[in-house]
Amino acid sequence: MDFHPTAGRPMSDHEAAIEAKRILDANFRSEQPDRPQPVRHFPTSFRDDTKLPAYGDTPPVHQDDRRIVPAWAAGIAVASIGVGAGVTGIGCGAWLVLQGLASVTLTGVLMVTLPFAGLAMAATAIGGAISRARSAVTKNIYEGPVTQKTEINNNSTTRGMFFARTRNDVR
């Protein structure tokens, strides 16, 4: 596009309208009806390669970067990240457990507990067999006289008619 504004002064509204019409006519409208419109390709970006002045109104100011984080602040930041990750892991684990418990059926419970019941039955059978094999046959042989003396003295006393109390003295 060939736009050359007048240097040093802004254009008036009338001059700007005339310049805009000239640019549009030169680039978008064809004056002759039998002539096809030209296909124009416009750039989608612009790069200004002019050199920047070495000095100007506002010179650059050096800005020191002295951001030092205290140890306690860094420790709190690391601890909060760790706590957040830990709580997230615990929450995911709880969610998985609760999802599993929500889908429990009788068949599922029986299938899960069946191996444990089989192991328990096998352990009981093996323990019973070992117990019987280890128990020895004992025979008690007594030599000498055997005396058995049994003497029971029972004194029973009942008092009262409706709220009866019974006292038994066994000697």
Side-chain angles (χ1 to χ4, degrees):
M1 289 196 208
D2 54 349
F3 175 67
H4 303 291
T6 337
R9 69 174 180 88
M11 290 194 283
S12 68
D13 289 340
H14 180 67
E15 291 172 336
I18 292 172
E19 183 67 18
K21 185 174 182 325
R22 185 188 67 79
I23 292 172
L24 288 173
D25 286 342
N27 291 305
F28 295 108
R29 295 187 189 121
S30 74
E31 297 292 331
Q32 300 159 354
D34 58 339
R35 186 174 135 203
Q37 271 192 321
V39 176
R40 304 286 281 188
H41 297 285
F42 297 102
T44 57
S45 65
F46 174 74
R47 180 176 183 159
D48 187 11
D49 289 330
T50 58
K51 296 239 179 198
L52 295 174
Y55 58 92
D57 293 343
T58 50
V61 177
H62 181 69
Q63 297 177 356
D64 292 332
D65 188 14
R66 296 188 182 180
R67 292 177 286 172
I68 298 174
V69 178
W72 62 269
I76 288 175
V78 169
S80 65
I81 290 171
V83 167
V87 167
T88 302
I90 291 172
C92 289
W95 181 79
L96 286 173
V97 167
L98 293 175
Q99 284 292 101
L101 290 176
S103 63
V104 171
T105 61
L106 179 61
T107 309
V109 170
L110 291 176
M111 290 300 131
V112 168
T113 58
L114 189 63
F116 297 116
L119 285 174
M121 189 170 58
T124 304
I126 291 170
I130 291 173
S131 172
R132 287 202 178 169
R134 291 184 70 194
S135 68
V137 178
T138 57
K139 229 181 220 184
N140 293 330
I141 301 172
Y142 296 104
E143 294 180 9
V146 175
T147 16
Q148 184 176 2
K149 182 177 178 186
T150 304
E151 182 179 324
I152 298 174
N153 293 326
N154 187 8
N155 293 329
S156 180
T157 309
T158 304
R159 292 187 179 187
M161 181 182 276
F162 294 108
F163 298 105
R165 287 187 239 148
T166 302
R167 183 174 173 177
N168 293 321
D169 293 329
V170 179
R171 296 183 194 161

